[in-house]
Amino acid sequence: MSVSPQLLPHEHTLSLKTEVLADVLTHVENILIIQDLDGVCMGLVKDPLTRVIDRNYVKATQVFDGHFYVLTNGEHIGDKGVNGIIERAFGNPAEVKAKGLYLPGLAGGGVQWQDRQGNVSHPGVSEAELEFLAEVPQRIKIRLRRFFEQKSIAAEIDNLDECIQASVLENKVSPSANLNTFYEQLRQYPEIYIDLQKDMQNLMQDVLQEAQVKGLGDSFFVHYAPNLGRDLQGQEILRPAQTQDSGTTDFQFMLQGAIKEAGVLAILNRYYSQRTGSYPLGEDFNVRQAPKMLEELLELVKANFDPKEMPLMIGVGDTVNSSVEDAQGKLTVRRGGSDRNFLQLIQRIGQELDTGNIIVYIDSSQGEVKNRKSVKIGQNETSGEEIIVLEGPGDVRDVDEPLTLNFVFHKGHQQYNEFFQKVARERKASDHR
């Protein structure tokens, strides 16, 4: 597939012509970049404590100050948060704070706000909810240990205590079980790994029921990453492990309303305040007040945000998938990925308001976590240029895929980091800040 250079940026589809995107980021003043983190600017790893971030990339984000925000299901704070990764990269937490090197934006799916100095708040979250969440990591540890004590394979797990420690994310607003380490340990025992997936799913349902008993029945939900989209009740669908595919590895116990697409509105609300002095949705607006459905979120934007001030939005993510199940000739499409909905909302805003919003996809399949479908690259027979020969990360049979990926970084986060640093230098030189 070859893309004509005459196309506008948002008209490109699965394009490798990142120079077109570079031109936008360099020369358009009113832009708003909303970007995921893991797999985008950092490689995917089995143990979150081993994540690293490029210091030059962090510095480059400052050039886009006021125009760049992160939106992640991970967290800013805690022993496995992104702030610690940045502090280790620079070796001096005081310097990071003084120079404003923390990444601004929303974490925990949208309930943890942070500015460049690392000041963190949790808009719309109650103390009772925080106290309940603080108990969840210990529940995960106990359940993991019990699971392996009941399996004869336990003795063959290398450093079980360390594996459990690596698998429990003691996040303040999104305590999680991450099974990447155990997936590697259980490569020869896929049926046990599948049982572990089911056990973690059952644990999360047990904890939801306990919250109900304590009067917090409307406070939480479970996010599965990666997933197979949502069912008719709006609950995320676990992605079972298959051959050479770990399926769902992250089981995140999260606050209701902490969905990335709602985070788009919270960031956009703050962005408008910076530019116009007023908040279209009110100064106290937070994701927990937002509707859940994409169409309702879109209507909220159309009703409250002045189109004349609307920025060109660039959504950047790596977790988008679709799969097609063929049962007796009947095709069932499952679309998922923790970045899908926020990217799709950004694209829809661009379509409805005619702003030409751009979707950027990072192929994170080269990381340690082998559950991503890689983008396949071939050559144009006429020009010899590289082109994408597989329809991105999804299933080629998903002909009605609603999300268009405009630009693709097929070599992963390192390629994106180098690109981002280059356009930051060019934008700084052009004085568009």
Side-chain angles (χ1 to χ4, degrees):
M1 179 183 65
S2 180
V3 180
S4 168
Q6 281 73 43
L7 291 176
L8 294 173
H10 69 280
E11 295 174 334
H12 287 239
T13 301
L14 292 171
S15 174
L16 300 175
K17 297 179 180 296
T18 57
E19 67 274 10
V20 177
L21 177 61
D23 188 61
V24 172
L25 294 177
T26 301
H27 299 295
V28 178
E29 190 278 329
N30 188 17
I31 61 170
L32 175 57
I33 302 168
I34 300 181
Q35 181 201 286
D36 184 35
L37 291 174
D38 286 323
V40 173
C41 61
M42 295 183 289
L44 296 178
V45 295
K46 301 166 193 170
D47 182 352
L49 279 175
T50 65
R51 289 181 297 172
V52 295
I53 196 166
D54 186 335
R55 290 188 301 176
N56 291 323
Y57 163 79
V58 175
K59 291 177 180 178
T61 67
Q62 291 185 309
V63 174
F64 293 89
D65 192 31
H67 300 272
F68 170 93
Y69 295 95
V70 301
L71 181 56
T72 175
N73 281 327
E75 293 201 19
H76 295 300
I77 58 178
D79 62 342
K80 294 171 184 173
V82 177
N83 287 0
I85 300 171
I86 294 173
E87 290 167 358
R88 289 190 291 274
F90 286 90
N92 187 342
E95 176 191 3
V96 173
K97 185 175 183 65
K99 294 184 177 179
L101 290 165
Y102 293 107
L103 298 180
L106 290 169
V111 295
Q112 187 176 85
W113 171 260
Q114 173 176 269
D115 63 19
R116 281 215 166 264
Q117 278 65 46
N119 298 308
V120 173
S121 61
H122 299 93
V125 184
S126 72
E127 284 301 319
E129 289 170 329
L130 291 174
E131 289 174 7
F132 187 88
L133 287 165
E135 301 172 359
V136 177
Q138 186 61 24
R139 292 290 309 277
I140 299 173
K141 290 179 183 178
I142 292 171
R143 190 65 163 251
L144 285 171
R145 184 167 298 283
R146 183 186 304 166
F147 176 86
F148 284 102
E149 285 175 350
Q150 296 172 350
K151 301 289 182 181
S152 58
I153 193 67
E156 298 184 36
I157 300 292
D158 295 332
N159 303 314
L160 180 59
D161 288 342
E162 292 181 14
C163 286
I164 291 175
Q165 191 64 31
S167 299
V168 180
L169 279 62
E170 300 187 41
N171 298 334
K172 189 177 183 71
V173 291
S174 60
S176 308
N178 178 311
L179 303 185
N180 286 319
T181 298
F182 282 117
Y183 177 68
E184 291 300 319
Q185 292 276 354
L186 297 171
R187 284 278 190 175
Q188 303 303 315
Y189 308 94
E191 69 285 351
I192 294 180
Y193 175 76
I194 291 173
D195 286 346
L196 180 58
Q197 275 188 315
K198 294 176 181 176
D199 197 54
M200 286 299 100
Q201 183 179 32
N202 291 337
L203 168 62
M204 293 297 164
Q205 296 305 312
D206 291 345
V207 180
L208 284 174
Q209 291 177 7
E210 290 177 17
Q212 180 85 34
V213 171
K214 293 189 176 183
L216 298 172
D218 296 327
S219 292
F220 309 107
F221 76 104
V222 180
H223 170 57
Y224 300 113
N227 57 58
L228 292 176
R230 294 175 181 159
D231 61 22
L232 295 177
Q233 287 72 46
Q235 305 301 312
E236 294 184 7
I237 303 171
L238 180 135
R239 179 173 164 181
Q242 299 178 6
T243 304
Q244 303 303 314
D245 180 355
S246 58
T248 296
T249 55
D250 286 42
F251 298 72
Q252 294 187 273
F253 195 80
M254 304 186 73
L255 287 150
Q256 283 286 4
I259 54 176
K260 285 186 174 182
E261 53 268 39
V264 170
L265 264 67
I267 290 173
L268 194 58
N269 191 47
R270 289 175 182 264
Y271 183 80
Y272 263 70
S273 172
Q274 292 169 191
R275 294 187 68 85
T276 69
S278 63
Y279 295 85
L281 299 176
E283 185 174 356
D284 296 327
F285 175 81
N286 62 73
V287 298
R288 307 196 76 189
Q289 299 167 336
K292 295 181 180 179
M293 304 305 292
L294 187 144
E295 292 298 330
E296 294 174 332
L297 290 165
L298 184 59
E299 288 302 318
L300 201 58
V301 172
K302 291 164 63 178
N304 292 278
F305 291 83
D306 183 354
K308 295 178 183 177
E309 298 292 340
M310 182 61 66
L312 172 61
M313 301 172 71
I314 297 99
V316 189
D318 73 305
T319 312
V320 179
N321 58 67
S322 73
S323 61
V324 178
E325 302 168 3
D326 189 347
Q328 298 179 339
K330 182 180 180 180
L331 298 182
T332 301
V333 179
R334 300 288 189 187
R335 301 187 183 106
S338 58
D339 294 330
R340 168 181 288 277
N341 289 339
F342 100 83
L343 295 175
Q344 197 165 324
L345 177 58
I346 289 174
Q347 190 161 79
R348 288 294 305 280
I349 292 172
Q351 292 167 347
E352 291 287 334
L353 299 183
D354 197 27
T355 54
N357 290 347
I358 299 169
I359 304 304
V360 179
Y361 177 75
I362 314 299
D363 182 349
S364 58
S365 63
Q366 299 94 340
E368 292 180 13
V369 182
K370 304 299 184 185
N371 60 9
R372 311 297 169 96
K373 182 183 289 187
S374 62
V375 171
K376 304 301 182 185
I377 304 297
Q379 280 192 327
N380 183 298
E381 294 181 0
T382 303
S383 67
E385 69 178 346
E386 286 188 324
I387 57 172
I388 294 177
V389 295
L390 178 68
E391 291 293 310
D395 192 310
V396 294
R397 295 172 295 172
D398 185 4
V399 295
D400 296 319
E401 167 66 74
L403 178 63
T404 298
L405 306 176
N406 302 122
F407 296 96
V408 175
F409 287 81
H410 68 289
K411 296 180 182 178
H413 76 282
Q414 292 178 328
Q415 180 191 12
Y416 176 71
N417 282 354
E418 292 171 4
F419 166 87
F420 194 91
Q421 292 168 43
K422 181 175 182 292
V423 296
R425 290 192 296 270
E426 293 172 352
R427 185 175 176 89
K428 186 174 182 179
S430 70
D431 203 31
H432 269 304
R433 301 182 65 182

